[in-house]
Amino acid sequence: MNESYRLGEQSIIAHLQRLANGASTTELDVAALPPELRAIGEQLQKTLAILQQERELLEHGAYIDSLTNLGNRGGLDRHVDQLWRKGTPFTCAYIDIDRLKHCNDKFGHAEGNRYILSICRALTETMEHDELLFRIGGDEFVLISPTTDEAELEQRLERTRANLIEATSDGKAPMIASFSFGCSRVDPLAGDTRRQMTKDADRKMYRYKLMYRVQQPEEGDAPQRPVTEQPPPCNDRVFQAISMSSETRYPFIINLDTGESQWSVNAVRDFDLPSQHPYNSLDIWLARVHPEDRDNVRAELDMVVNGTWHFHCMQYRVMNTAGKYALCDCTGYRLDGTDTEPNMYVGIVTNRSLADTTDSVTGLGDIHALVNAIGEMRRVARNADLIAIKIDEIAQVNARFGFDAGDRVLAESAACLMDCSRGKGRLFRSTGPMFVALFDELDPEETDAVADEIERFLGSPVLLGSFEYQPPLRVATLHLDAVDRQPVSILNELNALIKEAPQVPGTKLD
């Protein structure tokens, strides 16, 4: 083997090693190879070019939706990850096409695809230059806006929807085109989480769908159901409206004869159910029950199914969407069928990991109840006012008189706060010695008057043995024209205000 051939081999091997180490842009200098190795080098370059093209196609398929050429769920996750790493605030809109299944069933999937593309085109035309749209499911889109506030994006989507409805009404299209949406503003640096973002936007979208769904013309409606198919046991819109009245309780209805079922939107979200209408949902649910509880739960449910029992009430653990087990109470009734009605199992699951939101010392709602209350106010277009009250020096009271004395100070402070805010707002114990009063029907001047009243009357003396103690406190007020941020962001701002608020002095503890 001559020296030139040996060096050529080493050049090819070094090139392959660079490729293996991730240097995908490097090129082999085929002209520099000895003549007897150039054919091998050229074939290697062609093979690498084909592999590179296939890799690009695979990456394109991993992040791009083939029908709309928008980013898909993988693309959305990658983009949101980038925003989260940068700590960039942004607004997202969850968008759901109305009646896509109706369109597919009645007019065929080709028309369904045209329907999807028409919604996609309308959404794209309303977007700003720095916004991105993703298709994350058959009828689901997500719009990410790094600059727009929540209210402005809602108004823009509402106009787009109204224009779509007008353009496709009066027989101008096979069916009236519309969509439902929910918007959520998030700030990673303020403590917001992706789960909060998804939960908030998703719930607002479902609420919008329930309230504003467009009714299609009755003439030529969807194909008739097969004779063997039972109608839904409950009007779906009514069922979902009832379901959304509670974050922590999940109604369900199961047709024991056919295996059909209805579950709340929140159950699908919190326990990763395959849909709101899964078949064989008892088996799906049992698969999520903790292995140590599963046999007992299965035995009780079997007795309900076979008609031995007509009432089921049991507490057990169920795996949630995050992969953790949540303690749940399940209460249900078997309804025996008749000649015209099926056997039914109807009940409600209570998620105790979310439902236990009462502070044991004061009897007020705790921080979880406060976060839920603020989150609920995001779904209503109105102003909100918050008053933060912090009882200072509780740690000193605990150290001198014991923790029971500190709890008494907090409990009596809570009672006084309830007198000041009764009939005007809701009161919560936030964290430690801090309380928050939440108002959604007062003018800012009225809220300031309540804050003044709290400062005057909250410092009532508390007897600690023979010692008369008047707690020092701080009061701060936050006025919001609209609740357009995540609850954590609002509470962080309130915490900053309370730190800067002047102290109303009380009894000095030596």
Side-chain angles (χ1 to χ4, degrees):
M1 181 186 298
N2 60 41
E3 182 67 14
S4 174
Y5 192 94
R6 187 179 66 80
L7 292 174
E9 281 187 326
Q10 290 180 347
S11 176
I12 292 174
I13 292 171
H15 176 67
L16 292 173
Q17 287 176 335
R18 288 194 297 273
L19 290 173
N21 292 330
S24 58
T25 58
T26 183
E27 291 188 5
L28 178 65
D29 188 358
V30 177
L33 295 174
E36 55 268 34
L37 289 178
R38 287 174 187 168
I40 296 175
E42 289 172 352
Q43 185 59 45
L44 178 61
Q45 289 290 74
K46 290 179 182 178
T47 302
L48 291 174
I50 292 171
L51 291 174
Q52 177 66 20
Q53 185 178 27
E54 289 181 350
R55 187 178 75 170
E56 291 174 355
L57 289 173
L58 286 172
E59 288 183 350
H60 186 273
Y63 297 113
I64 301 297
D65 175 63
S66 58
L67 175 64
T68 63
N69 212 33
L70 299 173
N72 59 13
R73 186 179 292 275
L76 171 67
D77 290 341
R78 183 172 66 170
H79 182 60
V80 172
D81 284 343
Q82 292 171 351
L83 294 175
W84 224 271
R85 284 195 297 270
K86 295 176 183 177
T88 306
F90 63 94
T91 302
C92 74
Y94 273 54
I95 301 163
D96 189 88
I97 298 177
D98 291 338
R99 305 291 300 274
L100 176 61
K101 184 178 184 303
H102 171 91
C103 184
N104 285 331
D105 289 346
K106 182 174 181 180
F107 304 108
H109 285 273
E111 183 60 39
N113 287 341
R114 282 191 287 272
Y115 184 26
I116 293 170
L117 290 171
S118 68
I119 299 289
C120 172
R121 185 165 50 251
L123 292 172
T124 304
E125 290 173 354
T126 194
M127 288 165 51
E128 304 289 346
H129 72 281
D130 55 353
E131 295 176 340
L132 290 175
L133 184 65
F134 301 85
R135 184 188 179 205
I136 63 170
D139 55 2
E140 298 174 279
F141 292 81
V142 175
L143 192 155
I144 300 293
S145 175
T147 58
T148 303
D149 64 41
E150 189 174 316
E152 196 278 335
L153 183 57
E154 287 176 347
Q155 293 170 4
R156 200 161 11 115
L157 290 172
E158 188 62 60
R159 288 195 299 270
T160 302
R161 180 178 184 269
N163 291 338
L164 262 176
I165 292 172
E166 182 179 1
T168 54
S169 297
D170 300 328
K172 299 175 184 177
M175 62 181 290
I176 300 174
S178 67
F179 57 85
S180 302
F181 63 89
C183 299
S184 180
R185 182 73 173 169
V186 291
D187 185 352
L189 296 182
D192 296 340
T193 66
R194 291 186 62 172
R195 176 169 170 77
Q196 287 173 327
M197 174 191 77
T198 302
K199 175 180 173 181
D200 183 60
D202 202 45
R203 274 185 56 82
K204 292 176 76 173
M205 183 269 291
Y206 272 106
R207 182 180 291 259
Y208 188 99
K209 185 180 288 290
L210 287 169
M211 295 174 66
Y212 302 111
R213 186 176 66 174
V214 173
Q215 295 296 321
Q216 297 294 331
E218 292 185 4
E219 183 179 354
D221 206 352
Q224 295 295 314
R225 299 174 182 270
V227 175
T228 57
E229 184 178 345
Q230 296 287 339
C234 177
N235 179 285
D236 197 58
R237 296 185 72 206
V238 173
F239 179 84
Q240 296 304 338
I242 293 171
S243 301
M244 293 179 69
S245 65
S246 173
E247 282 277 350
T248 62
R249 292 174 173 81
Y250 317 107
F252 63 85
I253 304 174
I254 300 174
N255 185 322
L256 296 176
D257 295 342
T258 66
E260 294 175 294
S261 65
Q262 285 181 283
W263 290 79
S264 73
V265 173
N266 294 340
V268 174
R269 178 199 68 207
D270 290 346
F271 293 104
D272 196 28
L273 298 181
S275 71
Q276 295 168 236
H277 300 277
Y279 280 84
N280 300 319
S281 60
L282 288 179
D283 293 335
I284 294 171
W285 185 255
L286 279 168
R288 288 158 172 75
V289 174
H290 195 285
E292 295 176 2
D293 302 337
R294 192 173 298 150
D295 287 344
N296 290 334
V297 176
R298 180 184 286 111
E300 288 213 8
L301 290 178
D302 284 347
M303 298 182 80
V304 172
V305 171
N306 63 34
T308 304
W309 284 3
H310 283 73
F311 175 66
H312 166 76
C313 182
M314 195 173 185
Q315 187 175 83
Y316 50 87
R317 294 162 289 179
V318 184
M319 181 178 287
N320 61 22
T321 303
K324 298 180 180 180
Y325 284 101
L327 185 64
C328 294
D329 292 340
C330 181
T331 304
Y333 292 86
R334 175 192 167 96
L335 306 178
D336 289 337
T338 65
D339 292 339
T340 58
E341 294 180 333
N343 294 294
M344 309 289 290
Y345 177 43
V346 181
I348 190 163
V349 174
T350 302
N351 188 339
R352 284 294 165 201
S353 66
L354 301 176
D356 293 336
T357 55
T358 301
D359 175 56
S360 59
V361 173
T362 63
L364 302 176
D366 64 7
I367 182 64
H368 303 291
L370 174 59
V371 168
N372 287 338
I374 296 174
E376 195 65 34
M377 292 179 70
R378 295 192 72 191
R379 301 176 240 292
V380 182
R382 62 177 63 169
N383 66 298
D385 296 277
L386 296 91
I387 300 176
I389 308 99
K390 183 179 181 184
I391 309 300
D392 282 343
E393 300 182 3
I394 285 294
Q396 291 90 320
V397 172
N398 290 336
R400 179 170 174 179
F401 300 100
F403 285 94
D404 287 343
D407 287 347
R408 278 191 57 204
V409 172
L410 292 174
E412 296 201 25
S413 298
C416 185
L417 283 171
M418 291 183 68
D419 286 337
C420 294
S421 61
R422 182 172 287 122
K424 301 172 185 175
R426 290 170 286 172
L427 189 63
F428 304 86
R429 182 182 177 188
S430 176
T431 53
M434 185 165 161
F435 300 90
V436 173
L438 185 61
F439 306 90
D440 57 4
E441 294 183 354
L442 295 185
D443 294 331
E445 295 79 10
E446 295 176 295
T447 306
D448 290 337
V450 173
D452 292 340
E453 186 177 3
I454 288 171
E455 286 192 6
R456 287 196 303 273
F457 294 106
L458 187 58
S460 301
V462 179
L463 281 177
L464 304 177
S466 60
F467 183 75
E468 193 176 74
Y469 176 68
Q470 182 173 345
L473 60 107
R474 302 173 190 270
V475 179
T477 303
L478 176 62
H479 304 293
L480 300 173
D481 292 332
V483 182
D484 56 2
R485 290 178 283 153
Q486 292 284 352
V488 174
S489 175
I490 293 172
L491 292 177
N492 285 342
E493 182 177 354
L494 201 57
N495 285 331
L497 291 173
I498 201 71
K499 288 179 181 178
E500 300 297 326
Q503 186 186 75
V504 179
T507 306
K508 291 189 177 296
L509 291 173
D510 298 327

